[in-house]
Every structure is written in structure tokens, then in C-alpha cells.
Amino acid sequence: MFKRVPGTRDILPGETECWQNIENISRSLFTRHNYREIRTPLLEDEPLFNRSLGETAEIVQKQMFLIKREHDVYALRPEGTASIVRAYIENNLDKQQGFVKLYYMGPMFRAERPQKGRLRQFHHIGCEAIGSYGPGIDAEVIVLADSLLKALGISGYRIALNSLGCVSDQQAFRVFLKDKLSGRLNDLCADCKDRFGRNILRVLDCKNDSCRHIIRELNISGSSRCAECESHFSSVRRSLDALGVSYEISPNLVRGLDYYNRTVFEFKHDGLGPQQDALGAGGRYDGLVKQLGGPDAGAIGFAFGVERLILASGLKAETEMVQPGLVYVITLGDRARAAGVKLLADLRGAGVTADTDYEGKSLKAAMRTANDLKARFVAILGDDELKEGVVALKDMSNSSQEKVRISELTDKIKGSSK
Ligand code: HAM
């Protein structure tokens, strides 16, 4: 028997309704903020991610699913931002509109060690606003992410906020860290020893207790930001304050991807599993569009992990394969079967969810199926009913039964389902 690949999941009927609900709420919210949907391929050229996320990023180093074909190497996308910037440039979106607001939802792939809340195929819901450097859009994007969680009924999260400053601020910060940490190298975990040489900023968000202790002692305050970056960050904070969004300033929040600068943020929640607390995250990536061959364009976005949204919302996926409001049509005999086919088509055409038995089961067996499917109504059609132009309609919610004219059935059902 075949099994699914570790770290992937089947999303079954019963759960899919919960996913659709999350997707519908997200679509509606993005649309109200004038974001339009973009769908990019799951496959991209591998170098797109190496260039965007950085050679030293953990995703690039260890987590990309690569597919080699002849001379090309493709990657299953590990995230959406790089692909969207590629699409923005390739399709000349900058020339059409200048500033664009895009949203997306779909699967991402990372070869991580699977555990609760950490999968190899997981799903993002996110957005990217490309074409503005102004702090106004930073605040709007963070508020939008906050509104999305609220709309999904999620509470108990906190927003960690930081500004990484510009490229030269980050360079100065790296020098500062190298200087401070070089004397403590032996006390850092093996991963951080490696990070010290390759990507020292990542030491700041190490989860290891002794590394955290060392970092706390450094008392990092974010004071390495230049005046312009400081003023940008103050403006973002003022807008969030004015809108009543609470956040914590987290000078240690650096994010793991090279493309970030200035504003970065994470939505944290404690119910996501032992090794992770991020429901979603995002930030500015002002250099990326130019770096990938496009124009100068400031940009910012975020992505939530849908599986983690579901964990945090406590939304219990029903795993029963039932359709609410189902009408189950049972026909008895050949003539009734032909009429039943028409009845089904009429019900479905009028927007009612309807199904039938295809095996010619007895009334008793068909009623059992209707029960198993948790049908709301059963419409029984035999020769006698046909002659009279009626069905025997059983309301399964109270077991009452009445004759209803076939021509009035749809209205009757729609009226009762209200
Ligand atoms: P990220 O922090 O790598 O950011 O991923 C965003 C979210 O995806 C995480 O906070 C987490 O909820 C979810 N996630 C990541 N990896 C996994 C996994 N293995 N299993 C389950 N969920 C996972 C980005 O990807 C950026 N592209 C976000 C962004 C958009 N920045 C700017 N624009």
C-alpha cells in the first residue's frame, strides 16, 4: 500500500470546508484592500531562490526540493515572494501600474524535519505590495495581517516588530555583532558557530537557550540604524499606534532571508508546537526587484502558514464526509428512476445540493445511506407518487414526512433550509 510522503498531508472532505472558509475570508479581506490575486508556478529555476533568499539562508542551504532535468535545475517553490517579484518583472507589471498590490495562496515546499506545525508541503496565504518605499504601506500591511487573524477568529497572538535598517546599517550591525560575539564563540551552539562565519544575523534568532542567554547579554537596542531608517521606523510605529494595533519591539528579530531590509515583523502564537511560534511573518524587501533585474521599487509583504492558522484557531476539522443540507433522492422502479434523474437535475440547477443512489438499492438500504450521509431531506419517488405528481419528502431533522408536489419541491426545500 502506498503512503503519503512524510511531511505532506491529505486534506479530506470535512477539512476542505474549513480551508475554503479561510480562503474565502482572506480573499474578501484582500479584495477590500484592493489586492488582486496572482498565481505563479510551483516550479521555478533554482537560481531565483539562491539569488533572492541568499546562498546562506537555511532554506537555500538545506530545504529546497530540487528537480534536475537535462541541464536545468528547478526548485519546488519554498516561498512566494521571489516568484512574485520574478512575475512582476517578467510581465512588466511595473510599466502597467507602477504600484501593485497582489495576494496569493497555495502550496510551498521545504525539506524540513516534519513535526506538528512543520510540514514539507505547507500552504501560504500572503500578499505583496510592490512599488512604494513609504512607511504608510508598511503599517497598512501589518494592520491587514492583524485584521486577517481577527477575521479568522484567532486570538492570543502577539506581533514582534523590528527594523533592520538599510544595507549599510545591516553591514554595521554585522561588524558590531562579530566584534561582540568573537569572544563567546565557544559558548555558541554548533549551528551558531557556523552562522557566525556565514550569516551572523541569524545567531540572533537561535532558539538554543545558551545562545539566547548570550544574545540577551548583548543588550541590542537597534541603535545602529541611520537617521533615515529610524525616521521610517518611527513613522510605521506611529501609524500602528494611531490604529490601536499593539506590537512588541524585538531588536533580535532578523528573519532568515537576505532580501529583507527596514521593517520586519512576525505574528507569534504559543500553540503551534515545540519548535516554532510563527503564525506568519513578513517585511520590506526594497532591493529585491532591482536585484532580480527590475526597476527600483520598494516592496513589502507577508505570508501566513495556513496549517498553523488552523492549529491556532482551534478550528476542528470535521472528518465526516457529509454535505450540509443534502437532499437525497430515492427512486423505486424504472419509471421513477428516469423521473428521479430529472428531479436531481432540477434541484441541482436551482442551487440545491442533491444526490441519489446509483445501485438500485432497496428503500431500506437507500434510507441507510441517506442516514450515513446525514442528508437533511429524503425525497422518495415511486410509481404511486409519480402518478400523483408528488414526492414523499422526509425531513430528517424531525422525521416528519409529507407529500410535496414535484413542481413545488425546490421552493419547499429552499424555504425550509433558511
Ligand atoms: P516565512 O517566515 O519563511 O516567510 O514563512 C511564513 C510562514 O509560513 C511562517 O511564519 C509559518 O507560519 C509558515 N511556514 C514556514 N515553513 C513552514 C513549514 N515547514 N510548515 C508549516 N508552515 C510553515 C516567507 O516565506 C516570506 N516569503 C514572507 C514574506 C512575504 N515576506 C515578505 N513577503
Side-chain angles (χ1 to χ4, degrees), residues 79 81 110 112 117 119 124 128 255 259-260 278-280 301 305:
E79 59 108 53
T81 311
R110 296 184 192 175
E112 301 202 66
L119 295 154
H124 270 170
E128 313 292 346
R255 308 278 301 129
Y259 55 59
Y260 287 117
L279 273 173

Side-chain angles (χ1 to χ4, degrees), residues 55-119:
E55 297 284 351
T56 60
E58 211 155 330
I59 297 178
V60 168
Q61 290 270 314
K62 300 187 195 156
Q63 297 175 348
M64 295 243 276
F65 280 106
L66 300 177
I67 299 169
K68 296 194 172 71
R69 269 194 80 82
E70 294 169 8
H71 302 297
D72 298 314
V73 184
Y74 304 120
L76 286 177
R77 63 180 189 191
E79 59 108 53
T81 311
S83 306
I84 288 167
V85 171
R86 195 252 328 123
Y88 171 86
I89 300 167
E90 186 173 350
N91 297 290
N92 295 316
L93 296 189
D94 59 307
K95 299 196 179 73
Q96 292 164 28
Q97 290 154 29
F99 179 55
V100 290
K101 288 165 139 185
L102 304 165
Y103 79 87
Y104 53 100
M105 41 188 78
M108 306 289 159
F109 304 85
R110 296 184 192 175
E112 301 202 66
R113 201 155 48 80
Q115 54 178 269
K116 181 182 170 195
R118 186 180 295 168
L119 295 154

Side-chain angles (χ1 to χ4, degrees), residues 4 9-20 317-322:
R4 57 180 190 266
R9 289 197 51 225
D10 299 310
I11 304 165
L12 300 175
E15 284 178 275
T16 43
E17 286 80 3
C18 164
W19 281 71
Q20 286 161 2
E318 314 259 332
T319 35
E320 285 179 281
M321 315 249 267
V322 298

Side-chain angles (χ1 to χ4, degrees), residues 151-167:
L152 295 173
I154 296 173
S155 56
Y157 58 89
R158 56 196 189 282
I159 305 175
L161 182 69
N162 191 19
S163 170
L164 300 174
C166 53
V167 174

Side-chain angles (χ1 to χ4, degrees), residues 31-243:
T31 306
R32 272 181 277 147
H33 287 73
N34 200 26
Y35 283 76
R36 311 268 311 270
E37 185 174 1
I38 183 164
R39 300 184 192 197
T40 58
L42 303 194
L43 278 183
E44 296 277 359
D45 282 327
E46 180 206 18
L48 171 68
F49 299 111
N50 299 1
R51 283 284 295 280
S52 311
L53 314 187
E55 297 284 351
T56 60
E58 211 155 330
I59 297 178
V60 168
Q61 290 270 314
K62 300 187 195 156
Q63 297 175 348
M64 295 243 276
F65 280 106
L66 300 177
I67 299 169
K68 296 194 172 71
R69 269 194 80 82
E70 294 169 8
H71 302 297
D72 298 314
V73 184
Y74 304 120
L76 286 177
R77 63 180 189 191
E79 59 108 53
T81 311
S83 306
I84 288 167
V85 171
R86 195 252 328 123
Y88 171 86
I89 300 167
E90 186 173 350
N91 297 290
N92 295 316
L93 296 189
D94 59 307
K95 299 196 179 73
Q96 292 164 28
Q97 290 154 29
F99 179 55
V100 290
K101 288 165 139 185
L102 304 165
Y103 79 87
Y104 53 100
M105 41 188 78
M108 306 289 159
F109 304 85
R110 296 184 192 175
E112 301 202 66
R113 201 155 48 80
Q115 54 178 269
K116 181 182 170 195
R118 186 180 295 168
L119 295 154
R120 292 184 154 184
Q121 177 178 334
F122 60 98
H123 296 75
H124 270 170
I125 289 183
C127 68
E128 313 292 346
I130 307 178
S132 169
Y133 289 96
I137 188 68
D138 301 45
E140 190 185 283
V141 159
I142 295 169
V143 173
L144 173 54
D146 185 55
S147 310
L148 184 51
L149 294 186
K150 292 206 166 82
L152 295 173
I154 296 173
S155 56
Y157 58 89
R158 56 196 189 282
I159 305 175
L161 182 69
N162 191 19
S163 170
L164 300 174
C166 53
V167 174
S168 39
D169 293 346
Q170 288 180 50
Q171 192 44 38
F173 192 42
R174 278 194 200 94
V175 172
F176 164 85
L177 277 180
K178 276 240 147 106
D179 181 44
K180 294 280 177 199
L181 289 176
S182 54
R184 308 294 306 267
L185 208 51
N186 286 338
D187 304 324
L188 295 176
C189 72
D191 279 345
C192 282
K193 284 195 181 101
D194 188 43
R195 288 169 185 145
F196 182 89
R198 286 195 292 153
N199 189 354
I200 193 162
L201 293 184
R202 288 311 309 269
V203 174
L204 294 188
D205 59 11
C206 180
K207 304 268 186 289
N208 181 293
D209 283 343
S210 96
C211 298
R212 287 172 91 123
H213 182 69
I214 294 170
I215 296 302
R216 257 196 308 276
E217 282 179 353
L218 297 183
N219 236 337
I220 293 160
S221 64
S223 52
S224 58
R225 284 187 291 267
C226 66
E228 235 178 286
C229 287
E230 199 52 55
S231 138
H232 188 277
F233 193 36
S234 307
S235 175
V236 175
R237 292 194 318 251
R238 271 198 309 278
S239 303
L240 291 176
D241 293 341
L243 290 162

